């Protein structure tokens, strides 16, 4: 079931006659399913935060449709099951950490007893119990992010929109946050993660969308985005044998004594390559699709999108 | 409502506003004690200083009325930053991402400010009035009318700051808007005199129409004092001011609904 549905969404910021309009989101189509961690990637100005803002009715869409749980963002009920951690937030400084959680819980219409139980539990989860009664103005950036995550989770929402959640968080905190996200996913909830830290997204996300200048340039599972198209690494004892793969199947890219890397015309031809190797009595120890990091995939996608835009 | 109300209380306490009211209440108490002597002097000498009409018979109530009037203006100034503070970048995202409509946000915040600052001025007035009553040995029931009228005046001024905050998102602009309207109502209160002096029907009509449109908190305050003194109450300033406040509040809602953050 898609909890977030985006169809032909466009958001244009009118900045005045001289500067011209800014297209923040350009004809975007996207569906995010229940129970997945969805990573939103893109360079600055790609439209990731704007997408959150449209979903939360902070800014209206210029055209197209965005839906949360089947409801329009203009309907406050669409946000009942949504927790949000804004980027560069400035939570009310006059509140304490606990006060922020209480205020958030009340705005979700939660009962006081439930708020107290949830707040205690979440302060423990984000490691802020000790600082619960300290005013927010005294918090460091990392502490602010931790309490921000707790307020996003106070109502036990089905969808969490996290905009740069690890910004300013120390490495230990990042690992803890990853564990929290995995726990949330295990509960069948959805997280939409907007982060510049690609390694972080790679480690937790099920699916990733790459945005560039408001357009969706690629979407898929992390596996799909990080595996090289039809390239395989074959670990095998080749010895001094010189193996040639027929051109109609593919070509050999690298050959070492420990194995070879092949690029195939079609993914399915890997079986033919294995057959050839077996016929030559080569002992195969592993066959793995060649992988790249999400960062590399991201850079390639963005650069390819920029080239296309340049030629268009 | 409970959430926004407790947030507004926390903000007020954080700004140490309560100390300002404590200080002013203390000044009010000292004045009301001193007035006992002043009152006796007036009665003995038969004085009626110019500009202090009504003081001869009701000096204490006259003071309560003025004291409350300026407490309202002070409250408006002190609360003017609250709404812009909520709308600052990075904070407004937090508030508006919650499952509440913008109309409800605006209404609850205005109501919360009215409750919090209304409570402060009521308590302050009751302390001053209570001690005044103790020195006299009797409680002035007219104090209740003064409190009610000024609570209404506070609501009217809060709608001005709410609209200005939504439009400009700035506390100084909100304060300026209050000051401008306050000044304008002072000028417009002289509309009859203006009509006599200016022999230009268009200007005369414009001034008269503006007089009826804009709030009349000064006249409301004066009418309350007249009522306490036994004269009839002029309802027009009250009605027209309430209509003005609701019109402003409606515009604020429309603007807030259209605003992009």
């Amino acid at each position: 079931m898609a909890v977030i549905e985006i169809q032909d969404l466009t958001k244009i910021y009118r900045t005045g006659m001289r500067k011209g309009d800014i297209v923040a989101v350009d004809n975007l189509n996207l569906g995010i399913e229940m129970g997945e961690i969805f990573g939103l990637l893109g360079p600055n100005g790609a439209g990731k935060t704007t997408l959150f803002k449209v979903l939360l009715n902070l800014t209206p869409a210029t055209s197209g449709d965005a839906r949360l749980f089947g409801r329009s963002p203009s309907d406050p009920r669409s946000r009942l099951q949504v927790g949000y951690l804004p980027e560069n937030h400035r939570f009310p400084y006059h509140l304490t950490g606990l006060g922020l959680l209480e205020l958030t819980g009340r705005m979700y219409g939660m009962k006081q007893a439930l708020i107290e139980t949830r707040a205690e539990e979440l302060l423990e989860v984000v490691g802020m119990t000790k600082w619960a009664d300290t005013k927010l103005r005294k918090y460091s950036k990392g502490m602010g992010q931790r309490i921000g995550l707790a307020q996003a989770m106070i109502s036990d929402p089905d969808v969490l929109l996290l905009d740069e959640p690890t910004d300013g968080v120390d490495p230990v905190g990042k690992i803890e946050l990853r564990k929290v996200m995995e726990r949330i996913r295990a509960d069948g909830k959805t997280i939409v993660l907007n982060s510049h830290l690609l390694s972080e997204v790679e480690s937790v996300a099920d699916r990733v969308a790459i945005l560039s200048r408001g357009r969706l340039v690629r979407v898929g599972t992390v596996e799909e985005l990080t595996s090289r198209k039809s390239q395989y690494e074959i670990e095998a004892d080749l010895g001094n044998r010189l193996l040639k793969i027929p051109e109609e199947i593919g070509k050999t890219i690298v050959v070492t004594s420990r194995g070879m890397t092949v690029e195939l015309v079609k993914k399915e031809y890997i079986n033919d390559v294995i057959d050839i190797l077996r016929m030559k009595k080569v002992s195969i120890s592993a066959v793995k699709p060649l992988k790249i990091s999400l960062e590399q995939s991201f850079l390639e996608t963005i650069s390819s999108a920029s080239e296309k835009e340049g030629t268009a | 409502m409970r959430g926004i109300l407790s947030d507004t209380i926390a903000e007020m306490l954080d700004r140490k506003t309560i100390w300002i009211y404590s200080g002013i209440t203390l000044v009010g108490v000292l004045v009301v004690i001193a007035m006992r002597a002043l009152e006796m002097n007036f009665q003995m000498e038969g004085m009626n200083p110019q500009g202090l009409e009504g003081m001869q018979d009701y000096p204490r109530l006259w003071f309560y009325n003025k004291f409350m009037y300026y407490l309202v203006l002070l409250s408006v100034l002190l609360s003017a930053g609250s709404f812009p503070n909520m709308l600052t970048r990075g904070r407004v995202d937090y508030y508006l991402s919650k499952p509440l409509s913008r109309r409800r946000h605006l209404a609850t915040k205005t109501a919360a400010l009215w409750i919090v600052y209304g409570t402060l001025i009521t308590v302050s007035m009751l302390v001053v009035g209570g001690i005044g009553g103790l020195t006299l040995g009797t409680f002035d029931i007219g104090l209740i009318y003064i409190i009610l009228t000024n609570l209404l005046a506070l609501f009217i001024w809060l709608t001005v700051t709410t609209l200005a905050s939504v439009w400009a998102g700035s506390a100084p602009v909100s304060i300026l808007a209050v000051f401008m309207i306050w000044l304008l109502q002072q000028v417009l209160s002289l509309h009859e005199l203006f009509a006599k002096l200016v022999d230009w029907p268009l200007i005369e009509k414009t001034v008269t129409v503006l007089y009826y449109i804009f709030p009349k908190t000064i006249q409301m305050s004066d009418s309350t004092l007249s009522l306490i003194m036994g004269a009839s109450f002029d309802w027009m300033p009250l009605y027209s001011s309430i209509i003005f406040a609701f019109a402003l509040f409606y515009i604020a809602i429309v603007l807030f609904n259209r605003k992009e953050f």
Side-chain angles (χ1 to χ4, degrees), chain A residues 36-87:
Chain A
E36 67 176 338
I37 298 185
F38 192 90
L40 271 178
L41 300 178
N44 292 333
K48 309 180 299 288
T49 298
T50 300
L51 182 59
F52 279 181
K53 289 193 171 201
V54 170
L55 285 169
L56 295 165
N57 199 36
L58 290 163
T59 191
T62 307
S63 65
D65 194 27
R67 297 207 163 250
L68 266 166
F69 298 98
R71 292 183 197 277
S72 158
S74 60
D75 182 349
R77 289 174 297 173
S78 68
R79 299 187 289 279
L80 261 172
Q81 280 306 316
V82 179
Y84 176 48
L85 171 64
E87 184 190 18

Side-chain angles (χ1 to χ4, degrees), chain A residues 33 40 45 71 83 96 112 139 159 195-196 214 227:
Chain A
E33 301 293 321
L40 271 178
R71 292 183 197 277
T96 61
Q112 186 61 28
Y139 279 12
V159 172
S195 176
H196 283 115
S227 62

